Structure formats: C-alpha cells, structure tokens
Amino acid sequence: MYEALKQAALPNQMPDDSSSSSMRSFAQDDESGSGPLAECSSLTQNEKFQSVTSYSEALTSTSCRMSLSNVTLQYLRLLDADLRQEKYTVYIQLLKLHLNDWLSKKKINEEVYRVIISSQEKCLEDLKKQCKHDVSDTTNTSAYCNIMEIEKSEDEYVKQSLKNVNDFLHSLDNVRHCLLNKAQLPYNEVVNMVLAVSELMTWMDTILQDCQLFWAKVLQERLIHWKQQTKTIQSFQWLAEQESQCKLNAICDTMEYLTKHGQFRMEEKEVLSAELHKIFQDKTIFYSNECMRQAKDLIKKLKKQYVERASETKQIQGDERMVLLDKVNRQRMDAGAFLKDYHDLLEKQRKTISDLDDEEDSRITESIGELWKNLYSAFSQTIEDLTKDIYHQILPKRTTLSLNECEHLRQQVKQSHLTNLEKIDNYRRQCLKLYQDSLVHEKQMWIEEQVLFANMQAHLIEREEKTIERMILRLCGITDQAKEYLVKEYRLGLQAMLRQLGVRHLGLATLTDMRMSRKKSKLQDLKEKHSLDGIMPLWDTRKLQNEEFRFLKEEKQLENETQQVLSAFHVQLVTELQIAQQYLQSRLKDIAGQALIHHARMEAAKISYESKDDVKDKLADAVEESVYVTRDGVCTLVQIYYQQVKEIVEAYEQDKSKHEKTEKEMNECSQLMESKRMTEHLEKEILNMGKQLSNCDLFQRILLQQKMMIAVPDLYQCARLTSLQESTLSLRQKEAHLINKLKEAERVFQTRLAALARLTIPDFQESALSNRQEGRNITPLNSFETLGFRDGGITHKPLKGQMAHRHDQLNKPTLNNSHHTRTTRKKSL
C-alpha cells in the first residue's frame, strides 16, 4: 500500500490523469506565473497600482516591483528639491556678502539693498512653491496610478524644472539691472560682481551634479536591496502555500489508493476531498491575510517611530544650518569658503539621514522577516495538526483501518513530505539566487547607462564650448570683460540645465524598468521553471528543448524591447535637451545684445565728447569777420582740400581692390590644395581596402575615418574664420589709416584757412591733437558726413554737390554788401 503511494507533486509539475487531479491543488496553473518570486499581477501600462511613499510599504503591495520603482522616482524628486534648495540658499547668501560689502563702503544705500534681497527672496520662494507642487504630485498615499500617468507626470516635471532654471537665471539679470538703474553703479563694477557670483554658482552646480550622481547610486543600491528583501520575504508565503499543497496532494493520493482497494466509495472520496480542499485553502488564505495584516501594522508602528526620530534629527540639522548662516553674516567670510563649508555641512547631514534610513530599513526587514518566519512556523504546525486529525480521526472512522495502521501511513507520508519540502526549499533558494543575478545584471546596465550619459554630457559641453568660442570670435567691438561675461553666464546656464537633465536621465532609467516589468516577470518565471528541472526532472527531452527555446526567445525579445524603450527615451531626452538649448540661446542672445548696446553707447559717448568742441564754429566766425579772406582764396583752399581727399579715397579703393583680389586667389589656391589632399587620401584608402585586415584593425580604421570626417567641417570652419579675421583686421587697419589721412587733410585745410585769415589757433591745434591721441580709431561724425560715408561705402556725389554749392555762393556779386558777404562766406565754409 505504502509503496504504491504517489510522490507529492512539486510546483509546476504536470498533472496526472487521475480523477482527483482537479482537487489536488488550489494554486494557479503553471503558465500563470506561480513561481516563488512571481508578482501577484504583472501590470500593463494602463493597469493601476497603489502609489506608496516608502520602500517598506512596498512589502505589502501586490505589485512590489512597480511600487519600489515609483518610490525611487519620488526620492529622486525629493533629492532634486533638496539640492535646489541648497543652491538657492547659497545664491542668496552670496548676494548678501557682496551687497553688504558695498553697503559698508557706502556704494549703495539700505533701500537698494533691501529691494534687491527682498525681490530675489520672493522670486526664489515662488520657484520653491512650484517645486513643492511638483514633488507632491507623486506622494499621494491613497492614489492609484499607472505607468502612463507616471510618465506624463515626469514629462511635465522636467519641463517645469528647465523653466525654473531659466527663471532663476533671469533673476540674476534682474540684480544687474537694479544695480545699474537704481544704484547708478559703474557698469564695470556691477559686471565684475555678477561675474564673481556666476562663477561661484557654476562651481556650485558642478558640485551638486556630482552629489546628485552619488546619491542616485545610493538610491539604486537601496532599490536593489529592497527588491531582494521583498522577494525573500514573500517567498516564505509561497513556501507555505506549497507546503499546504503538498500535504493536500499526499492526503488525496492516500484516499485515491484506499478507494482503489475498497476502503472508500468514489462518492465518499470526492466529498471528503472537496471538504479537505476547502479546509486547506481557507487555512492558506487566512495565513496570507494574517501575514499582510500583521506586516502592515508592524510597518506602520516602526515607521511612526522612524518619523519621530527623523523629525528630531532634521530639527537639529536646521539649527546647525542657521548657526552657520548667522556666522557668515557676522564675520563676512570669503564667499568660496562659505560655499564649501555649507555644502560640506549639508552632505554630512544627508549622510546622517541616509544612515538613519539604512538603520530603519534593516530594522523593518529583520522585523518583517522574523514575523513571517514565526507565522510560517505556526502555519506549518497548524497544517501538521490538521493532517494528524485526518489520519487519527477521519480515516479510522470511515475505513476499516486501525489507528496504528493510519499512524504508520501518516509517518510514511510525513517522511515523503519532508523530502519534498526540502526540494521545494532548495528550489526557492535557487530562484532567489537567479533573481539576485538578474538584479546584478540590472545594476550593471544602470551603470553603463550612466557612463553613456556622462560621455554624452562631456561631448555636449565640448561642442557648446566650441560654439560659444566661435560666437565670441564673431562678436567684434565688445570688450574682453563683456566676452568673459558672456562665457561665464552661458556656462552657468549650461551646467544648471545639465544637472536637471541628469535628474531626467535617472528617472528615465527607472521608467524603463517599470515599462519592462511585465516582460522581466515572464522571463523570471521561465528561469524558475528551467531551474526546477535541475532539482527534479519533470519533462522529457523534447519538452525541455521546447522550454529552452522558449526561454531564449523571450530573453532575446526582452533585450530587443528594452533597447527600443531606451532608444525612445533617448529621443525624448534629446528633445528636452533641445528645449534647454533654446532657453540658453535665447538668454545668450539677450546678454550679447546688451553687451553690444552698452558698447555702442560707450562709442557714441566718445564721439559725442569729441564733437563737442566748437573750434570749427569759432574758426568759421573768425574767417567771416576777417578782411583778409577773399573768394578766390577760399576756392583755392577748398579745391586743394578736395583734391587731397579724392587722392586719399582713390588710393584706399585701389588698395582695397588689390586686397580682395589677393584674398580670392588665396582661397582658390587653398580649395585646390584641400581637394588634392582629399583625393590623395581617398586613393590611399582605396589601395588599403584590398589588404587583408583583422577585425580589430578594420574597426580602428573605421573609427579613425569617422573622427576625420567629423573633424573636417570644424577644421574648415576654423580655417575660414581665421582667414576672415585676418582679412577683417587688415581692412580695419586700412580704414584706420584712411581715417587718419582724412583727419590730417582736414587739419591742414583748417590750418591754411586760419593762416589765410591771419589767425593764430593754438587752442584749436591742441584740441585736434588731443582728440587724435584719445580716440585715434574713432571717426568724427562730421568727416563721415562730409565725405559721404554710409554703411561702409564711399561716394563722391555729396562732396561734389557741396563744392558746387560753395562755388555758387562764392561767385555771387555781393562784395559791396559786407554783411551779405560774411554770410556767404560762412555758408560756403
């Protein structure tokens, strides 16, 4: 009898053809994910799950993987908000340090100081409120959400974050405008202060970006730890279900054998099997519900204790920050030293909170693990007592077997059950090992993604640096200080935008894991089934080959779909990067425009200063009153002056044409040489194509070719820009030489006219000499108008018209009227 008993089935074992097979198990079918680490439900993108606020709460979630990933997204937002708060605090403090220094030196008054600080604090407070609203969107404990809603929320968050960065940069511009307009401070002094703040804030963003990556790694470690702990704890519940199922299967096998030997009628056996099935199922469900209930109560209790300790710690940390800020305001310490000390203090406080979190995580996992072990022991004892009652009370009453025979039968079933339980536990441990290996693989993929993003950032920074350098080279006429201001402001915005995009990239990595959760769960089930065959062979060779083929197919499909999701998210990240670049370019245009406007105003002020002297008017009045000046004399001087100007302009035009012709010949020669060089290089590559190359050499050659092709446009643009700069410099030198000659001709004309009128003009000569020394490269407005210069061109028609006007005036017969004669002379002059 005992030898004929069937061995209790393991999970996923193929059912037999007996009539009681439908009563043998209340677990799910092997195709529905009944492994020890299977989720209760593999969610799609539209299916909702509970949004928890801590890792510990995910222990009692039906979709623990999704809940854990959602908690990670929440913690990333909290980390971003914390780093942003640190940046704003440092920014306000840096402003106070600089403004306090100016206030003590009486460069600004208290009203200006108060207006600037209050406006900046209000602006930053508005930005903080927006940030808090965005963070609160993902921390609703009673809300249920799905993947699509989370992705939409993340999209809105990154757009708002980039807008906040842009608003923060504009707040710094408002400080500059206020100091220039209200405080009436010198432009250079204000720009130097803004440059100092921008440089420190750029350094701050770099530090925060490194800090952000460090704590993101800590979050990833915690996520992996909680995934492992969650599956380990939940595997005890699966183990209890399998023990109950094995006990029920063994009892059903016993009753099946007794029925075949006439101890039971078929109807009695079916009724008893259904009753036992209901009893075992109720016991298992009660155990599962009790585990969840007690776990929730324990987590709630431990979490309440943690919140109290964390609140006390954060209160102490807030006092420490206030002490440091008060110390800075009293002692007026160096700005760079303050930035470093404040960041070190906050990093120390974050480390304290992190240690507190780790300690709480360990306490919760240990407490929950101990709770579930105790409940499992109690459940095992309950199942054992139930089995003993069946063999000692039910079987002796309903069969002709004696109590000793039933006890002997129970001991045999118990021994077989222990063997099966050992195999099931080994299977559970094997599945945990497989799951741990998959987590290690996920961690490695996460690290590779971060390395890829770091390389992308480095490439982007290098490209943007080249772009800003080329733009600066093309911006002519602004000072070196303005160029430095442009570069540092752009770096400040770029670094801030890259930090926000770093947060986005971390979130996209988590969203990828959530997207692929269903596929990963399915592949995990196949791995578990495959590992089960190593413990106890369940399939024939053909069945095993089919399962292996299915596993490889699912694994390849998971890899392909993961790459597709990553590619889609990378495209989205590039789109958001373009949005950030639009913000930066718009800001750069504003700054460059302001610098050019300031430069134009300075140049206009110089020209206005030079044109203020009224020597020419005095000379004209003196010539008008002089009795020595005649019409023929003035006409002779004007003709000589016009002839000199004409010769100077013609010489300039010839020199300019010769220069343009030379430039054109040099460009044509350069293009021919470049074309010849490229042709020779291609011919050489064609010859090398016929040679046998190893894969490594071929790959290196392809990479080299790619780098060369990418570098050619940049090199061509740099060479072309250098050529244009040299040509522009040469033309400017020629224009400066032309202006000096025209000034000299004008000075000679004025001197001869004064000599004709028998006048001495030492003041006029000193003024002209002083003007030439102060602004040699600044063209007087009168000279440009007289010679007909407009937009860089030179025309002689206005000059000829003026000469004709002078001749008409001088040829009029008005010598008898002295007053009319003086008026005519003045007009002609």
Side-chain angles (χ1 to χ4, degrees):
M1 181 188 295
Y2 305 134
E3 292 175 356
L5 285 175
K6 292 184 178 180
Q7 190 178 30
L10 286 173
N12 302 316
Q13 184 174 354
M14 298 299 294
D16 59 4
D17 297 330
S18 64
S19 60
S20 63
S21 60
S22 61
M23 297 295 180
R24 294 175 60 85
S25 175
F26 46 81
Q28 292 179 340
D29 185 69
D30 67 306
E31 296 296 331
S32 61
S34 59
L37 308 183
E39 294 271 350
C40 294
S41 60
S42 295
L43 297 177
T44 61
Q45 294 188 25
N46 295 325
E47 296 180 34
K48 292 183 176 291
F49 61 91
Q50 187 177 6
S51 176
V52 297
T53 58
S54 64
Y55 287 122
S56 58
E57 295 178 6
L59 288 173
T60 57
S61 175
T62 56
S63 301
C64 59
R65 189 183 188 96
M66 304 293 289
S67 298
L68 289 173
S69 298
N70 191 29
V71 172
T72 303
L73 290 175
Q74 296 174 23
Y75 283 176
L76 282 174
R77 289 197 184 187
L78 292 174
L79 173 63
D80 182 35
D82 188 29
L83 296 179
R84 189 183 292 113
Q85 173 64 36
E86 178 182 351
K87 177 181 177 179
Y88 291 167
T89 304
V90 170
Y91 169 68
I92 288 294
Q93 199 61 38
L94 290 177
L95 280 182
K96 288 182 178 179
L97 288 174
H98 286 283
L99 295 180
N100 279 329
D101 182 54
W102 283 355
L103 186 62
S104 63
K105 295 177 181 179
K106 296 183 179 180
K107 294 183 178 180
I108 60 173
N109 53 33
E110 293 184 358
E111 181 182 358
V112 174
Y113 176 87
R114 193 165 51 251
V115 167
I116 292 176
I117 295 300
S118 62
S119 64
Q120 292 300 300
E121 288 179 346
K122 183 178 182 300
C123 177
L124 296 183
E125 191 64 31
D126 294 338
L127 295 179
K128 291 177 189 176
K129 290 179 180 178
Q130 295 176 2
C131 176
K132 289 180 180 179
H133 175 70
D134 294 335
V135 172
S136 64
D137 288 343
T138 60
T139 57
N140 190 356
T141 57
S142 61
Y144 282 80
C145 57
N146 56 31
I147 301 177
M148 295 182 64
E149 293 174 350
I150 294 176
E151 289 180 0
K152 182 179 178 181
S153 176
E154 289 293 311
D155 293 343
E156 294 174 353
Y157 179 76
V158 68
K159 291 178 182 178
Q160 183 63 43
S161 299
L162 295 177
K163 184 178 181 300
N164 284 359
V165 172
N166 189 54
D167 294 341
F168 171 76
L169 296 176
H170 281 297
S171 68
L172 185 58
D173 293 339
N174 294 334
V175 173
R176 182 169 61 88
H177 291 311
C178 185
L179 291 173
L180 289 174
N181 298 330
K182 291 188 176 182
Q184 300 294 325
L185 290 175
Y187 180 84
N188 293 337
E189 194 169 354
V190 173
V191 170
N192 288 332
M193 189 276 285
V194 175
L195 280 176
V197 175
S198 298
E199 189 173 1
L200 288 174
M201 293 308 298
T202 304
W203 181 33
M204 183 72 188
D205 278 318
T206 304
I207 295 175
L208 293 181
Q209 191 170 9
D210 296 337
C211 173
Q212 175 178 283
L213 182 58
F214 171 77
W215 289 111
K217 290 180 180 179
V218 173
L219 279 179
Q220 187 67 17
E221 292 288 346
R222 289 187 66 191
L223 175 62
I224 292 176
H225 166 75
W226 272 103
K227 284 182 178 180
Q228 181 70 24
Q229 292 298 324
T230 301
K231 294 302 183 183
T232 302
I233 292 175
Q234 289 185 350
S235 66
F236 286 108
Q237 183 177 355
W238 175 87
L239 190 60
E241 294 175 357
Q242 295 304 313
E243 180 178 356
S244 177
Q245 179 180 339
C246 286
K247 286 282 189 181
L248 178 62
N249 291 342
I251 295 172
C252 290
D253 288 337
T254 301
M255 292 190 297
E256 181 71 21
Y257 182 80
L258 294 176
T259 301
K260 289 180 180 180
H261 288 77
Q263 297 292 334
F264 274 112
R265 292 196 308 270
M266 183 60 69
E267 295 79 2
E268 292 178 344
K269 191 265 296 184
E270 289 293 338
V271 172
L272 182 58
S273 296
E275 292 176 355
L276 294 178
H277 183 278
K278 183 66 169 58
I279 292 172
F280 275 83
Q281 185 178 20
D282 292 342
K283 293 292 183 182
T284 305
I285 294 175
F286 176 78
Y287 163 76
S288 178
N289 293 337
E290 192 66 16
C291 286
M292 288 295 180
R293 185 186 65 79
Q294 294 192 25
K296 287 181 179 180
D297 294 341
L298 182 58
I299 290 172
K300 186 177 181 181
K301 177 182 177 182
L302 295 176
K303 190 176 180 181
K304 183 178 180 180
Q305 298 174 359
Y306 163 77
V307 169
E308 293 176 355
R309 292 197 303 272
S311 299
E312 295 175 358
T313 304
K314 290 180 180 179
Q315 181 65 34
I316 296 174
Q317 292 178 350
D319 295 339
E320 292 176 352
R321 292 193 294 269
M322 293 303 300
V323 169
L324 178 59
L325 293 177
D326 292 340
K327 178 182 176 181
V328 173
N329 292 328
R330 289 196 311 270
Q331 298 181 1
R332 295 182 183 177
M333 63 186 300
D334 180 68
F338 157 72
L339 190 152
K340 185 177 182 302
D341 292 345
Y342 189 74
H343 177 71
D344 291 342
L345 174 61
L346 264 65
E347 277 295 284
K348 180 181 177 182
Q349 293 180 352
R350 292 190 189 102
K351 183 66 170 56
T352 302
I353 295 296
S354 178
D355 293 340
L356 191 63
D357 291 340
D358 292 339
E359 180 183 348
E360 184 64 19
D361 290 347
S362 300
R363 182 182 293 108
I364 290 178
T365 52
E366 291 175 1
S367 301
I368 297 297
E370 189 67 25
L371 171 65
W372 282 38
K373 286 180 182 179
N374 295 334
L375 291 175
Y376 172 70
S377 299
F379 175 77
S380 298
Q381 186 61 42
T382 301
I383 294 297
E384 181 63 28
D385 294 341
L386 181 59
T387 304
K388 186 176 180 180
D389 292 340
I390 292 172
Y391 280 92
H392 285 183
Q393 297 180 13
I394 297 177
L395 290 184
K397 292 180 180 179
R398 299 192 180 188
T399 63
T400 60
L401 296 177
S402 64
L403 183 61
N404 291 333
E405 288 176 332
C406 291
E407 175 61 23
H408 185 63
L409 182 61
R410 187 181 74 85
Q411 291 297 330
Q412 291 292 327
V413 171
K414 182 179 179 180
Q415 186 64 30
S416 177
H417 176 69
L418 292 176
T419 304
N420 288 332
L421 278 184
E422 183 179 358
K423 292 180 180 180
I424 291 175
D425 190 60
N426 291 336
Y427 171 58
R428 180 185 70 89
R429 296 178 186 275
Q430 181 68 21
C431 291
L432 288 173
K433 180 65 170 60
L434 290 174
Y435 187 72
Q436 186 176 6
D437 294 340
S438 68
L439 292 179
V440 172
H441 179 65
E442 286 183 11
K443 180 181 178 181
Q444 184 63 31
M445 287 185 61
W446 186 88
I447 294 175
E448 291 176 358
E449 277 294 315
Q450 297 310 312
V451 172
L452 178 64
F453 182 72
N455 291 331
M456 187 187 76
Q457 277 188 322
H459 173 71
L460 177 64
I461 292 175
E462 181 181 358
R463 190 183 69 180
E464 293 299 316
E465 288 287 343
K466 290 182 180 179
T467 302
I468 190 69
E469 287 176 3
R470 292 170 186 168
M471 193 204 72
I472 292 297
L473 290 175
R474 286 173 171 82
L475 280 178
C476 303
I478 62 175
T479 62
D480 293 338
Q481 184 189 44
K483 293 178 180 179
E484 182 184 4
Y485 179 68
L486 278 171
V487 172
K488 289 189 176 181
E489 286 296 306
Y490 191 77
R491 286 175 180 171
L492 172 62
L494 179 62
Q495 201 66 39
M497 293 290 184
L498 286 179
R499 192 187 74 79
Q500 290 302 140
L501 291 174
V503 177
R504 174 59 166 167
H505 183 262
L506 294 169
L508 289 178
T510 306
L511 289 174
T512 303
D513 182 61
M514 298 177 72
R515 276 267 195 103
M516 305 310 299
S517 175
R518 185 182 182 89
K519 279 286 182 183
K520 289 181 179 180
S521 298
K522 188 175 181 180
L523 186 62
Q524 183 68 31
D525 291 342
L526 292 176
K527 286 183 179 180
E528 293 173 5
K529 293 176 184 179
H530 190 269
S531 65
L532 182 60
D533 185 72
I535 300 173
M536 172 175 285
L538 300 178
W539 301 302
D540 54 15
T541 304
R542 184 176 180 181
K543 179 71 174 178
L544 183 60
Q545 290 177 354
N546 291 336
E547 289 295 328
E548 289 179 352
F549 175 76
R550 183 184 174 189
F551 170 74
L552 294 176
K553 181 180 178 181
E554 289 291 337
E555 188 176 29
K556 184 66 176 177
Q557 188 176 0
L558 173 64
E559 182 179 353
N560 293 336
E561 291 188 9
T562 302
Q563 290 300 323
Q564 291 176 4
V565 173
L566 288 175
S567 298
F569 281 151
H570 283 166
V571 171
Q572 193 170 355
L573 186 63
V574 170
T575 303
E576 289 153 358
L577 177 60
Q578 292 174 351
I579 295 175
Q581 285 182 322
Q582 290 175 1
Y583 281 130
L584 294 177
Q585 290 173 1
S586 176
R587 173 172 166 75
L588 187 62
K589 289 178 182 177
D590 293 342
I591 298 175
Q594 292 169 4
L596 291 173
I597 290 174
H598 173 72
H599 177 73
R601 287 175 178 173
M602 296 296 293
E603 292 298 317
K606 289 181 181 179
I607 294 174
S608 176
Y609 176 77
E610 290 182 356
S611 61
K612 279 182 180 179
D613 62 289
D614 53 351
V615 177
K616 296 179 183 179
D617 293 337
K618 292 181 179 180
L619 177 61
D621 292 337
V623 170
E624 177 188 356
E625 298 294 338
S626 176
V627 295
Y628 301 102
V629 177
T630 63
R631 180 186 61 183
D632 295 337
V634 171
C635 288
T636 302
L637 290 180
V638 169
Q639 290 175 358
I640 293 173
Y641 173 64
Y642 173 74
Q643 186 65 28
Q644 290 178 348
V645 170
K646 182 178 180 181
E647 291 175 356
I648 292 172
V649 172
E650 288 178 350
Y652 170 76
E653 291 290 345
Q654 292 177 359
D655 196 8
K656 183 178 179 182
S657 299
K658 184 179 179 181
H659 176 78
E660 291 176 351
K661 183 178 180 182
T662 304
E663 282 289 325
K664 184 178 180 180
E665 292 176 353
M666 291 179 63
N667 290 334
E668 292 177 353
C669 181
S670 176
Q671 290 179 0
L672 290 175
M673 292 179 63
E674 182 66 21
S675 176
K676 182 179 179 181
R677 189 185 68 82
M678 291 295 295
T679 303
E680 292 176 353
H681 178 73
L682 289 175
E683 291 176 353
K684 184 178 178 181
E685 287 297 322
I686 291 173
L687 292 175
N688 292 331
M689 290 293 289
K691 298 179 181 180
Q692 293 293 333
L693 297 175
S694 63
N695 292 334
C696 182
D697 294 338
L698 182 61
F699 182 70
Q700 293 294 333
R701 187 179 294 276
I702 292 174
L703 288 180
L704 181 61
Q705 286 295 112
Q706 288 179 348
K707 291 181 180 179
M708 289 180 62
M709 295 302 295
I710 293 174
V712 164
D714 292 339
L715 293 175
Y716 177 77
Q717 288 185 4
C718 291
R720 182 62 179 161
L721 180 61
T722 303
S723 176
L724 289 175
Q725 287 176 342
E726 293 176 355
S727 177
T728 303
L729 180 61
S730 177
L731 289 176
R732 286 180 180 175
Q733 291 176 352
K734 294 180 185 301
E735 289 177 359
H737 186 60
L738 170 66
I739 291 172
N740 290 333
K741 284 187 176 182
L742 292 175
K743 286 182 178 180
E744 184 65 23
E746 182 183 15
R747 187 186 65 80
V748 171
F749 170 74
Q750 292 174 351
T751 303
R752 289 177 179 177
L753 184 62
L756 182 64
R758 306 293 195 275
L759 298 175
T760 57
I761 47 172
D763 296 335
F764 164 73
Q765 293 175 351
E766 291 177 3
S767 175
L769 180 61
S770 175
N771 288 338
R772 287 197 303 274
Q773 291 176 350
E774 291 179 0
R776 186 169 298 275
N777 294 330
I778 301 174
T779 304
L781 196 59
N782 293 340
S783 299
F784 272 74
E785 293 176 351
T786 303
L787 294 177
F789 284 84
R790 289 294 184 270
D791 299 329
I794 302 176
T795 59
H796 301 289
K797 293 181 180 179
L799 185 60
K800 291 181 180 179
Q802 293 174 10
M803 287 297 298
H805 176 69
R806 293 191 183 102
H807 281 291
D808 292 340
Q809 293 293 333
L810 291 173
N811 289 330
K812 285 184 179 180
T814 55
L815 295 178
N816 296 329
N817 192 331
S818 60
H819 175 74
H820 191 69
T821 301
R822 288 193 298 270
T823 304
T824 303
R825 291 173 183 170
K826 185 175 181 181
K827 287 182 179 180
S828 63
L829 291 173

